[in-house]
Amino acid sequence: MAIVAIFLLGIGNFAMHKAVLESGHRMLSQVPGYVHMLGGKATLLTEFLALLAAMLLASTGWTWVLWAYCGYSALNGIAAWLILTDRL
């Protein structure tokens, strides 16, 4: 069950990440060059590796990783909301 929950949270994280990358926010021009490598796909790869690590840990019985990934997703959601609503 934890793997399914983490996977669904991962889908949301990817959607938020892509929306921020496509927003054209002025803050994106101030981030290091690796963020813009391959059109932002380098950071999406990092997002994927975080999701993969969380799912692998959950599959080995480390169910606490679900709560850690929930916290990570909540912080991603707050950051995306701040960026996309131009509050930051």
Side-chain angles (χ1 to χ4, degrees):
M1 190 64 185
I3 296 173
V4 173
I6 291 171
F7 180 74
L8 293 175
L9 288 169
I11 292 171
N13 283 335
F14 273 103
M16 289 183 286
H17 194 125
K18 185 127 175 91
V20 167
L21 288 176
E22 292 178 351
S23 72
H25 193 273
R26 66 187 179 281
M27 193 170 58
L28 290 174
S29 65
Q30 299 173 359
V31 295
Y34 69 86
V35 173
H36 301 291
M37 285 174 34
L38 305 172
K41 289 186 177 45
T43 57
L44 288 172
L45 176 63
T46 305
E47 188 77 49
F48 171 74
L49 292 175
L51 172 63
L52 180 64
M55 290 177 68
L56 286 173
L57 288 171
S59 73
T60 62
W62 292 23
T63 55
W64 61 267
V65 78
L66 172 61
W67 296 108
Y69 200 76
C70 282
Y72 170 73
S73 297
L75 290 175
N76 272 349
I78 292 167
W81 175 74
L82 287 171
I83 292 170
L84 295 174
T85 59
D86 214 17
R87 296 177 192 269
L88 185 66

